[in-house]
Amino acid sequence: MGTVKTSHRELPMDKIRNIGIIAHIDAGKTTTSERILFYTGKSYKIGDIDEGNTQMDWMEQEKERGITIVSAATTTFWTPQIPGSLFTDEHRINLIDTPGHVDFTAEVERSLRVLDGGVTVLDGEEGVQSQSETVWRQADKYKVPRLCFVNKMDKLGANFQHTLDDIHEKLGAKTAVVAYPIGAENTFRGVVLLLERKALIWAGDETGAKYTEEDIPADIKDEVEAERAKLLESICETDDTLLEKYLSGEEPTVPELKKALRAATIAYKLVPIYCGSSLRNKGVQPLLDGVVDYLPSPMDVPPAEGTLPDSEEKTTRAPDVKGPFAGLAFKIQADPHVGKLTYVRIYSGRVDSGSYIYNATRDVTERVGRLLLMHANDREEIPFAEAGEIVAIVGLKDTKTGDTLCDKDHPVVLEGISFTEPVISLAIEPKTKADQEKMGIALQRLAEEDPTFKVKSNHETGQTLIAGMGELHLEVLVDRMKREFKVDANVGNPQVAYKETIGKEAEAEGKYIRQSGGRGQYGHCFLRIKPLGRGEGYKWVNSIVGGAIPREFIPAIEKGVKEALENGVIAGYPLVDIEVELYDGSYHEVDSSEIAFKIAGSMALQSAVKAAAPIILEPVMKLEITTPEEFMGDVIGDVSSKRGQVLGTAQRGNVRVITAMVPLAELSRYVTILRSMTQGRASSYMEMSHYEPVPGNIADKIINKETN
Ligand code: GDP
């Protein structure tokens, strides 16, 4: 087992927890993070999000919007407090930031990739909201063990049991309630730790309020026993030895149960449930104990998977400080004090400040200037960092998000981070010449930090286009450009990112022959194209046999094909979901060249697409609207008028929740529209769902550029 050293700490790898808090916006992620930083002693004062004064949100407009996007990883320390905890010594908790808003879903994906365990914060009144569902599924995909914290137990309408039912029904999770609420709404006072049969009561609401250990209140004794029995049963079901004991009438000991629950959580069999009120400073300390007790250390998770560079050969990096260095760069951040920070999750080996490391993704060697541990409000320079740790490196020049950094003698490319393509774009135009220069730098920096943000220039109009995941995403970026980089610019209306594809199979020939004096040009090929499933992208098949075209020209043909795919034949949008097969052709001993085959490839593709019933695709969003009953009719009518399809409606408390699929093109400024339609009482949430063919009349408008 390795030892993690920093200038002032020495902790073995099994004492590390790399966790992220995952939540629907407004569930209380920021407030909970802040309380965690407070209790772990690294935050001097509890900032209140409502007053726009928080430790983790230091970017101005995030404070205004109350969204957390930055601070990739914060290091804190925690020693479990409640007697009977599985571990009683100090642990290092690295809190990895995850964004609350789904427009930043790439950020969620990237953080899930590098954390070992998650805490899902739910609103005890709202229950499981749709974004929580999305993030839950993402966490499933990355196999992240997690705990749930049912927050806002103090809020009017808070209902623990309903939230629990929601977790079962909507998330399909098997729960293990470890902290059961005492009271609800304004009578919420604390929690019962079911295994220990111990009540923790917080007398006051104030920051840093201490709890007292008390007997279980008489009026809830029966329900507590019933819940405890359920808990025991669900834990024992995951462990044969315990189950045998349990069935024979003998109750396993609390440490036995906790060990089994830890194993079951790490194996995604159970999700421990905590509850409390972050705002009122209740229930957070037991949650922190839970993070240490039940979430995995870097040693408990499977080795990181990857391949050898330039090959398909698979390899892994086990969490071993003695192994070769390997880590994943998961976030690039511009820091006002030290310049560019590259956040790296180290999977194996160690990295020293001042050393050289190899970026296997880009085949470049980089020098590690300094290594930093980021705390809530200070940073600590450390001489080296080891497997299991998350550090910020200063001094890397060419490394981008998702790149693998490793030992040059033992190169590996770890599984990268997949990002969704932008669905919306807008034109920006600098106001002055000085702005133009600043804008170039600003956009480059912002794109470096955020891989879902793309900058393109439109050659025809000379305009700069920025593309992202939604209106809010672009708004935040434009805001940052204006504030942080002081760029003055005019911003156009958001444009939807359409795509094109084909409706059927087709074949075509491409022939590029010039033979007028001197050396000529000769390129000739036959392509067959087939529609692929939605989202499958592009597939290249070379089935040339017998040398109809010499091998050295084939990459040139594919290059021509790829270039032609960038501009579809209907309205110039990128072509997707298409298989291209090269099956025949011919060549000329003297005149054939790469350029001639490239042109032939482009020509063949274009003709084939024209013959293959091309169509335009548009992004369709899943829209969820929460509205008071009285506005239901108006809201649904409006959705229908937007080519939307209502999937269902549900009752939640005294409001209705409408789920619908609506084309993104119809949703411009939807938040504002909904607000004015419902006197500000409805709220909405949307996320990219899929691409779908656009109806004919709309396609005509798109072709004639009458949209937006
Ligand atoms: P985030 O969007 O998930 O980061 O959520 P915030 O931490 O910003 O909280 C959203 C809102 O809920 C803010 O107005 C908080 O004050 C409030 N809030 C957070 N935790 C609690 C809680 O435990 N009880 C109540 N009643 N409100 C809370």
Side-chain angles (χ1 to χ4, degrees):
M1 187 188 304
T3 300
V4 172
K5 293 193 182 69
T6 79
S7 52
H8 67 289
R9 307 265 174 181
E10 206 168 286
L11 287 177
M13 207 195 304
D14 65 341
K15 303 284 173 221
I16 296 179
R17 300 290 180 272
N18 293 314
I19 64 153
I21 297 187
I22 339 182
H24 191 288
I25 192 158
D26 267 358
K29 183 175 69 111
T30 310
T31 314
T32 308
S33 303
E34 292 228 338
R35 293 332 187 234
I36 289 178
L37 296 183
F38 177 81
Y39 293 120
T40 54
K42 278 287 166 183
S43 171
Y44 39 79
K45 170 179 174 296
I46 288 197
D48 196 328
I49 185 81
D50 288 336
E51 288 157 23
N53 163 33
T54 68
Q55 300 296 322
M56 291 187 86
D57 298 29
W58 52 67
M59 280 160 60
E60 270 183 69
Q61 100 279 6
E62 276 171 35
K63 283 185 204 161
E64 281 174 17
R65 290 166 195 268
I67 309 171
T68 317
I69 327 173
V70 288
S71 174
T74 308
T75 300
T76 62
F77 296 90
W78 180 251
T79 306
Q81 298 186 335
I82 292 144
S85 187
L86 269 187
F87 305 99
T88 51
D89 45 0
E90 186 176 58
H91 283 67
R92 180 199 291 194
I93 297 177
N94 293 317
L95 191 59
I96 297 151
D97 187 52
T98 61
H101 198 281
V102 82
D103 266 10
F104 308 108
T105 169
E107 302 257 345
V108 179
E109 295 248 8
R110 111 176 63 201
S111 45
L112 289 176
R113 183 72 173 67
V114 297
L115 49 78
D116 299 319
V119 174
T120 298
V121 175
L122 298 171
D123 182 319
E125 191 245 330
E126 303 264 359
V128 174
Q129 293 157 285
S130 66
Q131 203 183 98
S132 316
E133 263 182 271
T134 308
V135 180
W136 190 271
R137 282 195 298 271
Q138 283 172 324
D140 281 341
K141 175 174 144 195
Y142 287 101
K143 297 203 165 32
V144 175
R146 69 215 87 137
L147 315 175
C148 272
F149 181 64
V150 179
N151 188 32
K152 303 200 186 182
M153 280 307 301
D154 64 304
K155 191 177 159 191
L156 194 66
N159 190 320
F160 182 73
Q161 202 54 51
H162 282 176
T163 307
L164 204 58
D165 292 345
D166 250 16
I167 298 174
H168 296 147
E169 280 164 30
K170 295 193 178 155
L171 305 178
K174 280 213 165 135
T175 57
V177 175
V178 279
Y180 187 78
I182 305 175
E185 306 180 327
N186 57 7
T187 66
F188 177 69
R189 291 183 293 145
V191 300
V192 175
L193 299 174
L194 289 180
L195 286 177
E196 293 89 346
R197 287 198 177 91
K198 208 169 263 166
L200 306 182
I201 310 272
W202 281 261
D205 278 355
E206 73 283 3
T207 304
K210 289 253 176 341
Y211 55 81
T212 49
E213 279 183 40
E214 296 181 15
D215 290 336
I216 296 167
D219 57 325
I220 58 167
K221 264 206 164 116
D222 290 348
E223 57 188 285
V224 160
E225 281 313 311
E227 275 299 329
R228 189 174 189 274
K230 276 194 226 162
L231 172 64
L232 256 57
E233 207 172 297
S234 35
I235 296 176
C236 291
E237 273 171 7
T238 65
D239 184 302
D240 288 346
T241 326
L242 291 194
L243 188 61
E244 220 169 282
K245 237 184 182 178
Y246 184 72
L247 291 179
S248 70
E250 188 190 340
E251 185 173 312
T253 65
V254 171
E256 279 173 341
L257 289 163
K258 287 192 161 185
K259 261 197 201 117
L261 179 54
R262 176 175 175 79
T265 308
I266 292 172
Y268 332 108
K269 286 185 195 154
L270 285 176
V271 176
I273 309 286
Y274 288 81
C275 64
S277 163
S278 296
L279 187 68
R280 312 242 174 253
N281 302 297
K282 296 184 170 79
V284 180
Q285 295 97 325
L287 174 69
L288 276 164
D289 285 4
V291 164
V292 170
D293 274 352
Y294 302 125
L295 290 181
S297 84
M299 306 187 73
D300 297 318
V301 294
E305 293 181 2
T307 53
L308 299 177
D310 297 320
S311 112
E312 306 265 290
E313 197 179 323
K314 289 208 160 41
T315 176
T316 57
R317 287 292 179 273
D320 175 8
V321 295
K322 297 243 159 33
F325 169 63
L328 187 77
F330 66 96
K331 173 99 186 174
I332 313 277
Q333 209 167 44
D335 181 277
H337 304 290
V338 292
K340 194 160 94 177
L341 290 178
T342 307
Y343 284 86
V344 179
R345 160 75 200 249
I346 306 174
Y347 288 98
S348 130
R350 93 177 221 170
V351 58
D352 286 82
S353 126
S355 69
Y356 287 86
I357 51 178
Y358 178 61
N359 180 327
T361 312
R362 289 177 204 281
D363 186 24
V364 288
T365 297
E366 293 254 46
R367 181 169 184 277
V368 178
R370 291 196 284 154
L371 289 173
L372 299 176
L373 274 189
M374 308 299 283
H375 300 295
N377 40 41
D378 59 2
R379 58 197 75 217
E380 176 190 4
E381 189 160 347
I382 52 173
F384 66 89
E386 290 179 322
E389 287 193 85
I390 290 178
V391 289
I393 303 184
V394 185
L396 304 188
K397 294 201 172 66
D398 300 312
T399 298
K400 302 248 170 3
T401 304
D403 287 2
T404 300
L405 297 165
C406 59
D407 177 350
K408 191 158 190 181
D409 297 331
H410 300 89
V412 57
V413 178
L414 297 172
E415 216 171 275
I417 302 172
S418 61
F419 297 110
T420 2
E421 283 291 307
V423 289
I424 198 158
S425 69
L426 49 81
I428 45 172
E429 204 180 329
K431 287 216 169 117
T432 68
K433 203 147 182 95
D435 285 320
Q436 181 152 22
E437 238 162 71
K438 278 191 285 180
M439 189 174 93
I441 297 170
L443 293 179
Q444 190 194 339
R445 282 268 199 88
L446 293 171
E448 220 166 57
E449 280 184 28
D450 178 354
T452 57
F453 172 59
K454 297 259 157 63
V455 184
K456 290 184 266 188
S457 44
N458 183 331
H459 298 301
E460 282 168 34
T461 59
Q463 266 178 337
T464 301
L465 285 179
I466 59 173
M469 299 312 299
E471 271 182 2
L472 178 64
H473 185 207
L474 292 181
E475 225 171 84
V476 168
L477 289 159
V478 168
D479 235 42
R480 286 188 60 190
M481 189 180 79
K482 290 184 172 168
R483 280 167 198 258
E484 289 173 36
F485 299 90
K486 310 267 177 287
V487 178
D488 221 353
N490 292 319
V491 179
N493 286 328
Q495 307 282 325
V496 171
Y498 295 103
K499 290 183 176 171
E500 294 183 22
T501 190
I502 51 170
K504 61 173 194 188
E505 201 175 313
E507 291 173 0
E509 177 183 16
K511 203 181 229 175
Y512 183 71
I513 302 176
R514 293 284 175 278
Q515 276 156 334
S516 48
R519 200 190 142 194
Q521 294 284 358
Y522 189 103
H524 181 211
C525 65
F526 288 90
L527 298 178
R528 183 177 298 128
I529 59 175
K530 283 183 203 162
L532 290 177
R534 210 55 74 229
E536 286 187 48
Y538 153 76
K539 196 172 154 205
W540 171 251
V541 180
N542 171 20
S543 48
I544 292 276
V545 282
I549 302 174
R551 274 176 53 183
E552 70 256 37
F553 292 129
I554 288 174
I557 298 175
E558 192 190 359
K559 213 166 157 195
V561 164
K562 275 190 171 163
E563 271 185 27
L565 287 172
E566 281 170 26
N567 295 297
V569 303
I570 311 180
Y573 295 106
L575 276 155
V576 294
D577 304 337
I578 180 166
E579 179 186 297
V580 182
E581 181 191 354
L582 169 66
Y583 68 94
D584 203 359
S586 67
Y587 72 105
H588 185 278
E589 284 293 350
V590 183
D591 291 345
S592 276
S593 67
E594 281 187 15
I595 185 80
F597 272 107
K598 190 176 142 205
I599 296 171
S602 279
M603 288 165 61
L605 187 91
Q606 281 179 2
S607 326
V609 170
K610 280 183 192 145
I615 40 181
I616 299 182
L617 298 173
E618 65 178 343
V620 175
M621 311 298 277
K622 181 176 166 207
L623 180 64
E624 190 183 283
I625 306 148
T626 308
T627 176
E629 175 112 41
E630 59 200 280
F631 301 111
M632 271 268 286
D634 290 349
V635 170
I636 290 182
D638 179 62
V639 163
S640 309
S641 76
K642 291 178 158 40
R643 298 194 281 128
Q645 202 189 342
V646 174
L647 301 182
T649 60
Q651 184 97 29
R652 186 188 293 151
N654 52 0
V655 297
R656 291 297 190 105
V657 182
I658 303 162
T659 317
M661 290 289 180
V662 187
L664 177 61
E666 306 286 338
L667 288 171
S668 164
R669 299 275 138 210
Y670 186 69
V671 176
T672 318
I673 294 169
L674 182 68
R675 210 177 283 148
S676 58
M677 194 167 29
T678 61
Q679 296 158 13
R681 291 177 55 207
S683 62
S684 68
Y685 154 82
M686 65 175 90
E687 70 188 35
M688 168 65 187
S689 170
H690 61 281
Y691 270 86
E692 214 172 85
V694 301
N697 58 329
I698 308 281
D700 291 342
K701 284 192 185 160
I702 295 169
I703 296 164
N704 299 322
K705 308 262 182 246
E706 286 167 21
T707 52
N708 289 299

